[in-house]
Amino acid sequence: MPTYRARLIRFLIRYSIGRKLRRAGLLEADRRKLDDLMVRSQRLPRGTKVSPIAVGDLPAEWVQGPNSASDAAILYLHGGGFIMGSPATHRELAARVSSAGGACVLSLGYRLLPEYPFPAALDDARTAYRWLLERGYASDQLIIGGDSSGAGLALQTLISLRDEGVPLPCAGFFMSPVTDWVEPGGESFATRAASDPLVSPAQCRQTSSMYVGSHGDSPLLRPTETNLTGLPPLWIQVGDHEVLLSDAERLADRATRAGVEVNFKIWPGMWHVFQNAARYVPESRQSIEELGLFLQRRLGVARGTIGLNQMR
C-alpha cells in the first residue's frame, strides 16, 4: 500500500496541476505557466553544480549531483508530451539521477511542438549523443534515459543509433515511457483513466497526433513493434495508477523476448513519473535509488552507497 505521503501528494497533484494537464487542447499560455511553476518548484540537492552549455544550436545543461563523477555521462531527455518541459523544469530530477548514478547528466533542450513535429526531437537527441562521443566519452561511459515522452524519445534514439551502426551506450532507462504514438492506447487507457491524476487518454491521443504529423509510416513511432534485438540493458519503472502502464509493460515484454536484459518494476498506487516527487515521497526516492544502483552497475562506477538523506 502506498505511504501516507504518497497518497497525499497524489491527491494534491490531481486537484492542482493535474486538472490542467489531463485536459486535451492545453493552451500555450497554460503550458508556459506550468513550465514556470515547475522551474520555480525546483530544489536541488545540496552541492549540485549546473552549467548551461550549447550542443550545436541546442540549449542544454550539465547537471552534476553530489558524489557524482565526470568520467561518465547520462544523456537525459525530459518529458512533457513534446509540448512543454525543458532542462530547467527537470533540473532537480536530473540532479537526483546524477547523484544516485554517480555520473554527470547532460540535460538536453530538444525542439518541441507545435513548430517541430517528428523527427525534430529525435534528430536533436542523436546530435547530442554524437556530441558526447566527439568529446571523448566512449560508448560504455554513456547512458541514455528520460521520463514520459522523453523516455520514448530515448528508446527511439537507441533504435535509430543501432540501425545506423553507431556504438550504443551501455544502458537505457525509462520512467513511465510512451512507446506508441501512431496508435496510442492499451488496456490501461481504459482501466487507469480514472485513477491517473496527471495524464488522460484524450491528452495522449492529441499530443501523439501532433507529434506524428505526416510521418505515421515511420516504424520509430511504434518502437515496441520493431525489432529490439541488440539494445543495451534497459531499466523500466512505471506507476500502477497511470494510463501509460500498458506502454511500459509492452516495452518490457517485447525487449525481453528480443533477448534484451530488462529490469522492470510496477509501483502500486504510483502515478506518472512519480520520481518527480522525490523530495516528499519515500517511494519516489526508493525508485531513484534503484535506478542509481542499475546505473552504477552498468557504468562500473566505484564508490560507496549514497544514503537518500544526502539527496534531500
Side-chain angles (χ1 to χ4, degrees), residues 77-104:
L77 303 171
H78 67 80
F82 295 113
I83 60 173
M84 56 186 293
S86 70
T89 62
H90 287 65
R91 194 174 286 149
E92 181 178 343
L93 182 54
R96 290 177 178 274
V97 170
S98 169
S99 187
C104 57

Side-chain angles (χ1 to χ4, degrees), residues 118-119 122 126 152 155-164 179-182 211 215-224 226:
F118 178 86
L122 175 58
R126 290 186 298 208
L155 176 60
Q156 290 179 323
T157 304
L158 286 171
I159 295 170
S160 178
L161 292 171
R162 180 204 63 188
D163 292 348
E164 293 174 8
T179 63
D180 193 333
W181 288 271
V182 177
Y211 180 58
H215 294 86
D217 58 346
S218 172
L220 288 172
L221 290 166
R222 304 195 71 191
T224 52
T226 67

Side-chain angles (χ1 to χ4, degrees), residues 104-154:
C104 57
V105 166
L106 179 67
S107 186
L108 180 68
Y110 55 84
R111 289 172 290 175
L112 299 175
L113 297 168
E115 293 85 0
Y116 301 105
F118 178 86
L122 175 58
D123 290 342
D124 295 346
R126 290 186 298 208
T127 294
Y129 183 75
R130 288 191 175 91
W131 184 89
L132 287 167
L133 291 174
E134 290 167 0
R135 270 144 189 80
Y137 286 100
S139 59
D140 62 1
Q141 297 172 304
L142 296 174
I143 284 175
I144 295 179
D147 66 279
S148 189
S149 55
L153 177 58

Side-chain angles (χ1 to χ4, degrees), residues 59-90:
E61 292 180 349
W62 278 117
V63 181
Q64 191 163 1
N67 303 290
S68 64
S70 58
D71 59 347
I74 299 165
L75 175 57
Y76 190 86
L77 303 171
H78 67 80
F82 295 113
I83 60 173
M84 56 186 293
S86 70
T89 62
H90 287 65

Side-chain angles (χ1 to χ4, degrees), residues 39-53:
V39 172
R40 292 197 305 270
S41 70
Q42 303 294 294
R43 185 183 299 168
L44 304 184
R46 188 179 296 112
T48 299
K49 298 177 182 177
V50 179
S51 304
I53 192 170

